[in-house]
Amino acid sequence: MAGVESIRRGRSKPIGSLTQMATIRLGKRTDKRAPLIKDFVPLAKLDDIVFGAWDPIPDDALTAAKKAGVLEERDIEPIADFLRKIKPMPAVFDNKYVTRIHGTNVKKGKTKRDLAEQLRQDIRDFKSKNKCDRIVIVWCASTEIFIKPGPQHATIEQFEKAMDKNDDAIAPSMLYAYAAIMEGVPFANGAPNLCVDTQALIKLAQDRGVPISGKDFKTGQTWMKTIVAPGLKARMLGLAGWYSTNILGNRDGEVLDDPQSFKTKEESKLSVLHTILQPELYPDLYKDFSHVVRINYYPPRGDNKEGWDNIDIIGWMNYPMQIKINFLCRDSILAAPIALDLALFSDFAQRAGMKGIQEWLSFYYKSPMTAPGLQPEHDLFIQQTKLKNTLRHLMGEDQITHLGLEYYA
């Protein structure tokens, strides 16, 4: 699990990063004002970032990068000395929650409260040692087993009692979220497991003025769904079924080979289509469509994931059609810019006085957090508009509605 911690040292522009590469329109189209987001919003500079991490595997960042096989040697070697110096802190890890990983770089404590306090001390020590002004934590660790919210997650008092009792309902990721919030550190959850999205931790974040967001990075197949499904709905094309399968061979695939961890991921992936298509409003088009998701661990593929989608759609006069998508993607290459963007935007949100759930960051997640009782917005294009309008609002610029009547007055 990675903590992206300001301030110092970075590298060249990461292609694919919204904060570094994308522009934002300001004012009318005829004004031709479209600065880069990084020039419009006072984000932390890449040269001012220090990277730290906790990990149950003791490898330094260079060793980990070589073992992962994501980057080629020509991309690793120029920063080998930099990566070699990043050594992970011992992690809070329990094989009970991620059964396919066996870590040796692991903290020990009598209770889960003890472990959370050790994490808090790590945050303070890292900040002091690296002379950081601010800290952000992005959870980039493996998917934990499926846990439903219970009374242990209802209030912070019950949560802390459960930590003291080593209750199984308190997973390691929750301890990181708790430690971050208690230290006033923004926390972004990149995995689908129950974590910071509980009543207790949401209230704690609100009370302590800490931005939180999640969950589950939207990278490959689900990202494609949030692009294609809005197009089907916009044209009022019906859906009979959507079959999705993935093969991948990295550690994520190995972890998801466990049924309990896959259950957590499945819940996240299945939620998207129903929310976008709204079958309750369009029963003739979308009621009872079949949605199947499969993930298969296939070691030869490594980090190069392959996603197959078969989409059975229905057109005018009930004529059937099909869409086939074969997405050959690189999992970590898609996820890395998201982690960076979330670190920069979470830090910016805290400096702007924003606290609690940051729904405007839904653009990056499969299962966005929202206020209790509020249905999340999954349409990628609506999410992007929400994100950019939030930036305009914070920087005192007019919202962009795309109405455009002023051009024809």
Side-chain angles (χ1 to χ4, degrees), residues 35-61:
L36 291 170
I37 287 175
K38 71 182 182 70
D39 295 331
F40 173 63
V41 179
L43 302 175
K45 305 299 182 185
L46 296 190
D47 287 341
D48 292 334
I49 297 178
V50 178
F51 294 93
W54 294 272
D55 201 306
I57 309 298
D59 296 340
D60 61 59

Side-chain angles (χ1 to χ4, degrees), residues 92-323:
V92 173
F93 177 79
D94 190 332
N95 189 240
K96 181 189 303 179
Y97 298 92
V98 183
T99 63
R100 301 300 168 93
I101 292 180
H102 302 277
T104 57
N105 190 39
V106 177
K107 293 185 185 300
K108 294 182 180 180
K110 289 184 179 180
T111 68
K112 294 184 178 184
R113 172 94 75 132
D114 291 339
L115 295 172
E117 291 302 320
Q118 290 180 47
L119 292 173
R120 294 183 65 182
Q121 188 62 50
D122 284 346
I123 294 169
R124 293 192 289 266
D125 291 346
F126 189 94
K127 186 176 182 180
S128 174
K129 176 183 175 183
N130 294 282
K131 298 180 174 57
C132 298
D133 289 339
R134 304 179 303 278
I135 305 285
V136 175
I137 293 177
V138 182
W139 172 272
C140 302
S142 298
T143 299
E144 295 171 333
I145 62 172
F146 185 69
I147 297 175
K148 289 185 176 181
Q152 304 93 328
H153 311 113
T155 68
I156 197 60
E157 293 77 18
Q158 288 170 293
F159 185 89
E160 290 176 335
K161 285 180 183 178
M163 284 197 295
D164 290 333
K165 294 178 181 178
N166 290 328
D167 195 306
D168 286 345
I170 308 299
S173 64
M174 300 176 193
L175 300 182
Y176 283 91
Y178 171 83
I181 297 169
M182 292 296 287
E183 292 299 314
V185 173
F187 184 89
N189 176 26
N193 36 271
L194 188 68
C195 177
V196 75
D197 52 322
T198 63
Q199 291 181 43
L201 295 184
I202 291 171
K203 178 70 161 53
L204 185 67
Q206 187 73 26
D207 291 344
R208 289 185 166 258
V210 177
I212 56 174
S213 65
K215 59 187 181 177
D216 203 4
F217 293 153
K218 182 159 60 179
T219 52
Q221 198 167 56
T222 306
W223 169 56
M224 294 301 296
K225 285 180 179 178
T226 62
I227 294 171
V228 175
L232 298 178
K233 181 182 173 186
R235 295 296 295 270
M236 290 285 103
L237 292 168
L239 180 67
W242 195 312
Y243 181 88
S244 301
T245 189
N246 297 265
I247 57 173
L248 72 163
N250 59 12
R251 188 172 289 160
D252 192 32
E254 183 179 8
V255 167
L256 294 174
D257 205 35
D258 170 54
Q260 279 295 313
S261 290
F262 173 70
K263 172 66 174 173
T264 305
K265 175 68 76 171
E266 185 181 36
E267 290 286 320
S268 176
K269 290 170 92 53
L270 286 174
S271 64
V272 171
L273 288 182
H274 281 80
T275 308
I276 292 174
L277 297 175
Q278 298 177 292
E280 69 280 2
L281 295 182
Y282 304 102
D284 292 343
L285 297 176
Y286 305 121
K287 185 181 179 183
D288 299 327
F289 67 84
S290 178
H291 188 195
V292 179
V293 174
R294 296 285 182 265
I295 298 177
N296 296 106
Y297 179 48
Y298 182 58
R301 194 51 62 93
D303 195 68
N304 297 333
K305 181 167 66 174
E306 183 165 1
W308 294 311
D309 286 88
N310 175 80
I311 311 163
D312 287 286
I313 63 175
I314 303 167
W316 190 50
M317 296 179 64
N318 289 325
Y319 276 84
M321 295 174 280
Q322 288 189 345
I323 299 172

Side-chain angles (χ1 to χ4, degrees), residues 270-405:
L270 286 174
S271 64
V272 171
L273 288 182
H274 281 80
T275 308
I276 292 174
L277 297 175
Q278 298 177 292
E280 69 280 2
L281 295 182
Y282 304 102
D284 292 343
L285 297 176
Y286 305 121
K287 185 181 179 183
D288 299 327
F289 67 84
S290 178
H291 188 195
V292 179
V293 174
R294 296 285 182 265
I295 298 177
N296 296 106
Y297 179 48
Y298 182 58
R301 194 51 62 93
D303 195 68
N304 297 333
K305 181 167 66 174
E306 183 165 1
W308 294 311
D309 286 88
N310 175 80
I311 311 163
D312 287 286
I313 63 175
I314 303 167
W316 190 50
M317 296 179 64
N318 289 325
Y319 276 84
M321 295 174 280
Q322 288 189 345
I323 299 172
K324 309 282 190 183
I325 300 174
N326 184 20
F327 189 14
L328 301 168
C329 62
R330 296 174 183 263
D331 221 22
S332 299
I333 295 298
L334 290 169
I338 290 177
L340 177 62
D341 282 6
L342 284 169
L344 295 175
F345 277 143
S346 297
D347 173 58
F348 172 65
Q350 186 166 51
R351 286 186 285 126
M354 303 175 78
K355 59 186 179 180
I357 296 169
Q358 303 298 302
E359 191 190 347
W360 65 285
L361 297 177
S362 297
F363 179 76
Y364 296 103
Y365 294 112
K366 289 187 184 76
S367 301
M369 291 176 64
T370 64
L374 185 64
Q375 182 142 296
E377 181 57 69
H378 284 288
D379 183 319
L380 185 75
F381 307 102
I382 294 176
Q383 290 175 334
Q384 185 187 42
T385 298
K386 180 188 289 286
L387 188 152
K388 289 190 173 184
N389 270 337
T390 301
L391 297 179
R392 294 182 185 106
H393 167 72
L394 292 173
M395 298 303 294
E397 290 282 345
D398 291 337
Q399 304 292 288
I400 301 296
T401 65
H402 301 289
L403 183 62
L405 293 179

